[in-house]
Amino acid sequence: LDLDDVHCKAAKEMGEKGAVTSDSHHKDGFYVIRYGLGQARRGWLEKKDVINTLSLKEFEQLMKR
C-alpha cells in the first residue's frame, strides 16, 4: 500500500500509471491483494490506469513510450 487513495487519484490526474499487487513474499499471502484493490478503487483508478491489467501488447506499447 505504497499510495493511499488520495495519492492514487493525484497520480492518475497527472497521467501516471500504477500496479496493484499483494506485496506478498509467499503464495499464502496473495489474499491481501484486496487491500491494494480497495486503495485503487477509492482513488478512482480504472483498468487502463493499472499496468498489470494491460494486455501484453498494451504493456509493450507503454514500455516503448
Side-chain angles (χ1 to χ4, degrees):
L1 301 176
D2 295 329
L3 294 178
D4 61 19
D5 53 341
V6 173
H7 291 101
C8 284
K9 189 166 190 273
K12 176 183 174 152
E13 290 170 352
M14 292 189 296
E16 297 295 328
K17 297 193 181 299
V20 176
T21 70
S22 67
D23 196 30
S24 177
H25 299 272
H26 190 272
K27 65 179 176 140
D28 293 341
F30 189 69
Y31 72 95
V32 298
I33 198 167
R34 67 178 182 244
Y35 299 115
L37 291 171
Q39 293 290 77
R41 288 178 179 145
R42 284 190 300 277
W44 291 92
L45 297 188
E46 301 172 63
K47 180 180 177 181
K48 66 182 180 181
D49 303 314
V50 182
I51 63 171
N52 54 327
T53 64
L54 301 175
S55 69
L56 177 58
K57 184 177 180 177
E58 292 170 319
F59 181 76
E60 288 174 335
Q61 289 173 346
L62 178 67
M63 293 297 107
K64 286 180 183 177
R65 288 189 260 151

